[in-house]
Amino acid sequence: MPRAHRIISKGTTDKHAGAIGQLNAPGDYILVVRGIPRTIVMACPDGCGETITVNLDQRTGKAWHKYERNGKLTIYPSIWRDTGCRAHFIVWYDHILWCDSTDLASVTIDESLIETVFNSLPTDSPIHFEMIAKLLHAIPWEVLWAGNELVRRGRAVVVNKNNFKRSSNRDIPPAAGGCINLLA
Ligand SMILES: [Zn+2]
């Protein structure tokens, strides 16, 4: 069965057991809600036939965050099966971005968000992009991708892959053949 490139909502339920029978195609998912969102139960989008349970309840240990914007679902961080098919993917606005593909390279981020992220970057100690996302009420993926774009443009620097700050002049390597100060 081919890999899915989108997730499809099959509604909500209050029981995990009842969810599995309603999943037909890879990427189908059900939200389990009891008082608060508990889990996302999803037919593994790579088509292996297994079911993935994504915990959303921070009280029960390691949990993912979900963001709903314009009726579309984003999940952070990535979903990585460490057994079985070892599928590794990102859910972003109902899209499935496969981590072993070029999907991420095809994502474009709004210029306005890139500017907003730049304006939030410290000039001294780098801060984690998740922290910036929290301050901006933004989706962490987009802050990360905007940060990476700012690094590409020479306007930001990244430390340990995740911590960003504005680049100062001394962070930018001097252009070859630039102004040479004869008095130095
Ligand atoms: Zn799978």
Side-chain angles (χ1 to χ4, degrees):
M1 200 174 284
R3 281 172 163 188
H5 293 277
R6 294 187 74 83
I7 56 166
I8 306 284
S9 172
K10 295 289 170 177
T12 63
T13 182
D14 59 355
K15 286 189 194 67
H16 184 281
I20 294 172
Q22 298 174 61
L23 305 175
N24 301 315
D28 284 1
Y29 77 95
I30 295 218
L31 183 62
V32 180
V33 180
R34 273 192 312 281
I36 59 166
R38 303 299 179 110
T39 55
I40 290 168
V41 183
M42 182 184 294
C44 185
D46 78 349
C48 68
E50 292 194 38
T51 304
I52 296 175
T53 300
V54 180
N55 179 41
L56 300 172
D57 186 350
Q58 311 286 330
R59 300 169 308 179
T60 63
K62 187 185 168 201
W64 280 255
H65 294 272
K66 78 174 172 68
Y67 302 83
E68 278 165 295
R69 306 268 164 97
N70 304 323
K72 295 190 177 3
L73 181 70
T74 296
I75 300 172
Y76 178 86
S78 63
I79 297 166
W80 194 348
R81 296 197 63 211
D82 54 9
T83 57
C85 68
R86 299 185 181 266
H88 188 197
F89 57 95
I90 288 167
V91 174
W92 179 61
Y93 282 94
D94 285 358
H95 296 285
I96 295 169
L97 306 175
W98 290 96
C99 296
D100 63 353
S101 76
T102 55
D103 287 353
L104 274 169
S106 65
V107 168
T108 52
I109 297 297
D110 277 358
E111 284 300 322
S112 64
L113 180 65
I114 292 172
E115 273 321 296
T116 304
V117 169
F118 178 76
N119 290 331
S120 318
L121 292 182
T123 53
D124 42 15
S125 309
I127 61 172
H128 199 289
F129 70 88
E130 289 175 4
M131 192 65 72
I132 302 167
K134 207 167 267 182
L135 295 170
L136 295 175
H137 303 288
I139 291 173
W141 292 125
E142 295 172 14
V143 175
L144 172 62
W145 299 335
N148 287 339
E149 181 59 26
L150 287 163
V151 171
R152 261 192 295 275
R153 295 177 186 182
R155 299 179 69 200
V157 290
V158 61
V159 179
N160 297 330
K161 283 187 174 177
N162 298 320
N163 299 280
F164 292 86
K165 70 175 186 117
R166 292 187 202 185
S167 56
S168 58
N169 289 334
R170 68 174 187 279
D171 293 325
I172 301 174
C179 180
I180 298 166
N181 186 344
L182 295 175
L183 299 174

